[in-house]
């Protein structure tokens, strides 16, 4: 898999800091030049050298600042990187992650090959070494992630190849647990990012289907890919109405991880995978349309999550469903006013062909019924309105079941891949009334993310269901900075880990 290109090794080390064999030890400094526990041990081993440097005023401990030191006496490591942690009582999850990122950022273009981080010992309120280690692994992988498959000449390989987390013997088991989870999540995110970043002329529905087949081979998942004819037989009239606007054949991908007991109800993950969203006949404006290759991020994250749970060997039954096609303005594309019949039998008046995500998801949600799911969670870059409502920090969470919503909120907090719950009141449902069909596919400009969720809710009456609108969180925009984030792989993986019971 392409994600292997720049994979980095992670490990736990329990030696005393002074005896760590590596190219650089990373040490935290709190505001007002306060060394951490390991920092003090290193200072002692070096005969007070670190204290002397702190007194020089070059590093006062401001959050995110870094100072690279060479040739510290008394240590086996040739370098020490001091990293500012800021005020101790203001330390938070965000700070912790930022500080790890600054450290890796500061070292990634130096000659350092192997670094030993001691930052995982820093106390974050209500968090433990498992959390610290998992998060450090995920953040470091994120900083080191590169996507260069589409460049004719890839840049020089990074020097940095190995990150160790220095841990006390007492915490070794916890650190290893966090490491294992963090690495699996990082690998899953990396796959989701690669798939998201690939342009739509490469990452087609068939390409995604091949990726699913490859994953199935590696982790012994069951995999089935349904083509247009198979979907027709099932009556997926809504999904296929979107697919027929493009000459690329659609694919409906089904992956099954059977890690639980036979007969245990599965969790079903459904991911929107529009490999390019031009809007269809309701064509999108040109500005930023290039970013619509990311409209398969829901499906990409389902594949990424499967990689993570395959690697972890979760004892749980999980089904992944990925309806995939393009949304293009071809001659046989949906036209505004067309009425189609979904697999559930509901008729849909397509008032805007650009509201296509819900049209492919609704048939997948109906198809999900056959698995008698314990819960269904769909994820989709569904609405621009979601980005206006919540920005780029949380994914919007909708649910027809409070218990399921709470479990997802909890997993999101644990994984630091956060969500914000949104309402789905009857008043919003009324915005979807159609004069001619059972339901319209849009509910007007007001509350656009909410009415999209309300539309989906009409297809989810037979199981506990939640929907994540990830339009603001799955990728970053911008000419030079655009790129997939790999979210919500961390949240989904954590949720499934917790579901193991
Ligand atoms: N894929 C888009 C949503 C989107 C927009 C994601 C911007 C990320 C950034 C979706 O298919 C769409 O076009 N939604 C429309 C719905 C509208 C026509 C009701 C939208 O948000 O404008
Ligand atoms: Mn659209
Ligand atoms: Zn879309």
């Amino acid at each position: 898999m392409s994600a292997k290109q720049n994979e980095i090794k992670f490990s736990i080390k329990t030696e005393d800091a002074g005896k760590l064999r590596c190219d650089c030890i990373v040490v935290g400094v709190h505001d007002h030049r306060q060394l951490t526990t390991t920092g003090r041990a290193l200072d002692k081993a070096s005969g007070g050298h670190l204290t002397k440097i702190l007194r020089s005023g070059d590093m006062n401990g401001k959050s995110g600042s870094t100072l690279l030191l060479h040739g510290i006496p008394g240590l086996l490591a040739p370098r020490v990187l001091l990293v500012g942690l800021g005020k101790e009582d203001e330390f938070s999850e965000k700070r912790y992650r930022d500080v790890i990122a600054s450290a890796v950022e500061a070292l990634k273009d130096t000659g350092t090959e192997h670094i030993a981080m001691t930052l995982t010992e820093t106390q974050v309120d209500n968090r433990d070494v498992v959390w610290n280690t998992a998060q450090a692994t995920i953040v470091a992988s994120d900083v080191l992630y590169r996507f260069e498959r589409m460049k004719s000449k890839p840049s020089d390989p990074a020097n940095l190849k190995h990150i160790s987390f220095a841990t006390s013997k007492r915490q070794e088991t916890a650190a290893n647990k966090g490491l294992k989870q963090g690495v699996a999540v990082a690998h899953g995110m990396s796959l989701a990012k690669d798939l998201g970043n690939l342009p739509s002329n490469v990452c087609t529905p068939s390409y995604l289907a091949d990726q699913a087949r490859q994953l199935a081979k590696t982790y012994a998942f069951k995999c089935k890919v349904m083509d247009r004819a198979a979907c027709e037989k099932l009556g997926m009239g809504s999904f296929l109405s979107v697919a027929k606007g493009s000459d690329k054949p659609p694919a409906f991908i089904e992956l099954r991880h059977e890690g639980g007991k036979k007969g245990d109800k599965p969790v079903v993950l459904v991911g929107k995978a529009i490999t390019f969203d031009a809007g269809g006949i309701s064509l999108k404006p040109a500005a930023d349309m290039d970013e619509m290759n990311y409209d398969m991020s829901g499906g990409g994250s389902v594949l990424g999550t499967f990689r993570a749970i395959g690697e972890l060997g979760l004892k749980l039954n999980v089904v992944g469903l990925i309806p995939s096609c393009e949304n293009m303005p071809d001659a046989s594309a949906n036209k505004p006013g067309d009425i189609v019949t979904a697999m559930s039998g509901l008729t849909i008046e397509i008032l805007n062909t650009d509201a296509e995500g819900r049209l492919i998801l609704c048939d997948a949600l109906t198809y999900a019924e056959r698995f008698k799911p314990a819960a269904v969670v769909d994820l989709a870059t569904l609405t621009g309105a979601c980005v206006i409502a919540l920005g780029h920090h949380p994914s919007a969470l909708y649910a027809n079941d409070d218990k399921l919503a709470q479990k997802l909120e909890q997993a999101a907090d644990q994984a630091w891949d956060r969500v914000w719950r949104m309402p789905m009141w009857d008043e919003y449902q009324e915005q979807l009334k159609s004069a001619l069909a059972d339901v319209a596919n849009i509910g007007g400009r007001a509350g656009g993310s909410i009415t999209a969720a309300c539309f989906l809710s009409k297809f989810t009456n037979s199981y506990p269901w939640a929907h994540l609108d990830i339009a603001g969180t799955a990728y970053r925009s911008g000419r030079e900075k655009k790129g997939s984030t790999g979210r919500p792989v961390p949240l989904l993986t954590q949720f499934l880990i917790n579901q193991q019971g």
Side-chain angles (χ1 to χ4, degrees), residues 48-328:
H49 198 89
L50 293 182
T51 325
K52 217 188 296 166
I53 286 169
L54 289 177
R55 274 206 216 104
S56 76
D58 289 354
M59 158 60 73
N60 49 22
K62 273 221 168 61
S63 182
S65 59
T66 57
L67 181 65
L68 185 58
L69 307 169
H70 290 263
I72 308 279
L75 311 184
L76 287 181
R79 301 179 190 78
V80 167
L81 180 76
L82 297 179
V83 185
L85 304 176
K87 290 207 175 72
E88 207 161 352
D89 57 355
E90 285 173 7
F91 205 63
S92 62
E93 286 94 344
K94 180 184 181 304
R95 279 270 173 90
Y96 177 75
R97 288 173 52 108
D98 288 351
V99 159
I100 301 277
S102 323
V104 177
E105 197 71 59
L107 290 172
K108 75 174 185 189
D109 296 320
T110 64
T112 313
E113 231 178 77
H114 178 191
I115 67 182
M117 288 237 189
T118 68
L119 300 175
T120 43
E121 69 176 7
T122 320
Q123 184 57 49
V124 188
D125 273 354
N126 302 316
R127 306 291 178 176
D128 56 13
V129 172
V130 180
W131 189 88
N132 283 9
T133 311
Q135 288 292 316
T137 308
I138 291 166
V139 171
S141 305
D142 198 54
V143 173
L144 296 170
Y145 174 83
R146 292 200 282 197
F147 181 76
E148 299 194 316
R149 257 180 73 183
M150 306 312 293
K151 303 257 192 204
S152 60
K153 289 189 200 70
S155 56
D156 292 340
N159 283 316
L160 187 46
K161 292 192 175 65
H162 184 176
I163 298 180
S164 299
F165 299 113
T167 308
S168 68
K169 262 258 168 270
R170 196 171 52 85
Q171 301 271 32
E172 192 178 4
T173 315
N176 272 308
K177 185 177 166 196
L179 186 77
K180 186 177 168 205
Q181 202 172 307
V183 166
V185 169
H187 286 169
M189 291 172 83
S190 173
L191 173 60
K193 286 181 204 173
D194 282 351
L195 295 173
N197 288 333
L198 281 170
S200 71
N201 58 332
V202 176
C203 184
T204 58
S206 325
Y207 184 92
L208 287 176
D210 281 341
Q211 292 291 308
R213 289 190 193 100
Q214 261 190 50
L215 278 176
K217 235 199 217 150
T218 312
Y219 299 107
F221 301 139
K222 302 253 162 66
C223 179
K224 180 163 112 183
V225 179
M226 294 192 284
D227 61 6
R228 191 187 302 268
C231 295
E232 228 153 58
K233 240 189 223 153
L234 286 165
M236 293 184 169
S238 187
F239 170 45
L240 291 175
S241 78
V242 178
K244 71 184 163 45
S246 159
D247 64 354
K248 297 225 170 51
F252 189 102
I253 303 164
E254 174 184 326
L255 266 180
R256 277 185 293 147
H257 167 68
E258 294 176 344
K261 289 199 212 77
K262 227 188 166 145
D264 272 2
K265 289 179 163 187
V267 173
V268 179
L269 304 178
V270 179
K272 168 181 173 182
I274 294 288
T275 55
F276 191 75
D277 182 8
I281 296 299
S282 313
L283 194 64
K284 283 186 183 295
D288 299 331
M289 205 209 268
D290 59 287
E291 291 177 359
M292 282 299 122
N293 66 306
Y294 291 110
D295 211 21
M296 41 53 69
S297 296
S301 276
V302 171
L303 293 176
T305 302
F306 265 76
R307 185 177 179 193
I309 65 172
E311 215 170 289
L312 291 170
L314 288 200
K315 295 191 172 23
L316 185 77
N317 295 332
V318 187
V319 177
L321 300 177
I322 305 173
S324 181
C325 66
E326 282 185 335
N327 186 27
M328 296 287 283

Side-chain angles (χ1 to χ4, degrees), residues 27-54:
V27 180
V29 181
H30 278 293
D31 203 24
H32 288 89
R33 308 173 191 175
Q34 291 299 314
L35 282 166
T36 55
T37 318
T38 315
R40 284 198 295 275
L42 284 171
D43 187 45
K44 210 168 155 199
S46 71
H49 198 89
L50 293 182
T51 325
K52 217 188 296 166
I53 286 169
L54 289 177

